[in-house]
Amino acid sequence: MSNSIRCFAILILFLAGCSSAAAKQAHSPADDASAIEECFAIAAGVSLVEITSLEHHDSRPACGNLELLIGIRTLQSTGATISQTGMILEQGGLSAPRGATQNPEPIVIWQPEDLEVGQQHWLAVAPEHSVALEVPTNVHGVIMAWPADHVEALSACAAAVESDLFLWQPQYDARYGITFEHKVLEKGQTWRIRVRKGEEQLWAEDLDGIRSERYGAWGIFGSRFATSSPGPLLTAETAKQLEADNEFGMEPGLYYVLESYELENGIGREAVISRMQQSSAVLLERMYDDSGVNILQNSYHWRRGSFFREEKSLTADGIEVIRNFKWSEDIEARIDGSPWVEISGD
């Protein structure tokens, strides 16, 4: 049984046990400890927070939802933290079409009428970039919450903070049953990424440079190439200095270097070089085979007001083939809908 399913089942029992005074008496401390342990297995962090504000936000006139926005202040933490959360009080917009798949009812962590400014709670923070629970909770970004004086939670969470249990900021993904995480080794110089299943480490890699904070810079994504690895890839982007005679043939300078690896074994499959700017400006893309040989490369450049792509690929015999493409706004000139039209040269 997966961690997320076990956590869901335990949480249901936990919440059912807390629904009445009689149930609370029947709910054993062992069940609480077990639920906390299961939550820790898929959380990205644990923190003690204080509620600083409660504000209703109604965007139903614009087809949004009626929400309760909850401002929080972190008092103690390990791993990922959040500065604000919230819950949907009433859905807005149009109803789903008849026969459409209905989203599962969320696990209820908090009831809005039970919250007050100044309250303190322990939070198990949800992973940012992955799906930690097949069934969501009713509090954004939170897997579970306990009152600050909850005996079992106080013991487990305080111990987690003291030992910095979530230093690696783990990101559990229920789709693949794996956790990917990272830690800075030398600030501004090196960071390490690793993938594990449960407590078993599958692989790890050290990356020189500063971890990028751009969108899509860290997480599980598909391939950029239709012919690349069919499975999901772990993507990690680093801001780094490329020296002269670097492996990518780029001019010396600062770049974003994005590298993608197979989840199970850490084989490097792709690399992308981009300009050092917040918006995406890709300069080069590479695809590698199982032995690390560059078998396909796209270089992008502007020339005389037009956008060009040079494609270099290797045949099975190791022969390099070069093709040139030009971005075309002419829909009729496109082949199979692609905006890239092959040209003979220039």
Side-chain angles (χ1 to χ4, degrees), residues 187-199:
K187 190 172 182 180
Q189 298 185 45
T190 310
W191 62 299
R192 177 173 295 167
I193 63 175
R194 71 182 183 188
V195 173
R196 57 182 173 84
K197 275 192 174 182
E199 297 301 319

Side-chain angles (χ1 to χ4, degrees), residues 75-120:
L75 305 176
Q76 301 177 36
S77 67
T78 173
T81 61
I82 54 177
S83 59
Q84 180 176 281
T85 184
M87 61 178 73
I88 296 175
L89 304 179
E90 186 174 326
Q91 294 279 356
L94 300 175
S95 301
R98 181 176 297 178
T101 302
Q102 299 294 320
N103 293 326
E105 287 295 319
I107 300 170
V108 177
I109 292 178
W110 283 334
Q111 294 287 1
E113 61 270 17
D114 295 333
L115 299 178
E116 296 179 0
V117 172
Q119 284 180 343
Q120 294 184 6

